[in-house]
Amino acid sequence: MNNDNIIIRLARPDEAEHVAKLIMTAMTEECCLWFCGKDHDIGDFHKVMTELVKQEDSQYSFLNTLCAVDSHDNIVGILTSYDGGRLHELRQRFIEAAKMAWGIDHSNIPDETGPGELYLDSLAVEPSSRGKGIASKLIEASVDKARKMGLPFTGLLVDTSNPRAEALYTRLGFRVEGTNQWGGHPMRHMVKLTSNR
């Protein structure tokens, strides 16, 4: 499979289980378990995420998720992104689901984005499809999405312990703007100016 055979399209509700799995790959199992607490396992987290992907007004919604698919329409990667100005509104579904499913209140999570930025929340590529430019293709499609939405920046958080990912983002024109905490991990906030071609 080469990059030329990859098509970028919007996710569908019937793909929620697979999309949720890939979002969790982006989050890392450690972060997922941190969010659901010691009394719950990764399967419990997956159930909640699957429901959030199916919803239209969640930050993890299928409507916010671009899929990279191969010539057989199999998902080989995803990138979930949304207008940072809508973070609190979109995050509300996660906060409600966490309270109901795990009895944990995450309403005090630090903001990872803000107005004027298309926030790249979750990027993951299937292990068998890595190293083929799929992540770059998804990021480029998302920067184009930001441009069409009229948002001046595209931004993301990268774990400070993931220099490989940071190198990819730097190569694609992102620069470090500051630091943050997310899922119990120190992060770097990186942004790219979204300019018209």
Side-chain angles (χ1 to χ4, degrees), residues 129-140:
S129 300
R130 291 178 187 161
K132 299 173 181 171
I134 294 168
S136 296
K137 199 165 186 169
L138 282 162
I139 292 167
E140 288 164 7

Side-chain angles (χ1 to χ4, degrees), residues 133-151:
I134 294 168
S136 296
K137 199 165 186 169
L138 282 162
I139 292 167
E140 288 164 7
S142 296
V143 170
D144 191 51
K145 173 182 170 181
R147 193 174 290 117
K148 289 174 181 169
M149 291 171 71
L151 295 170

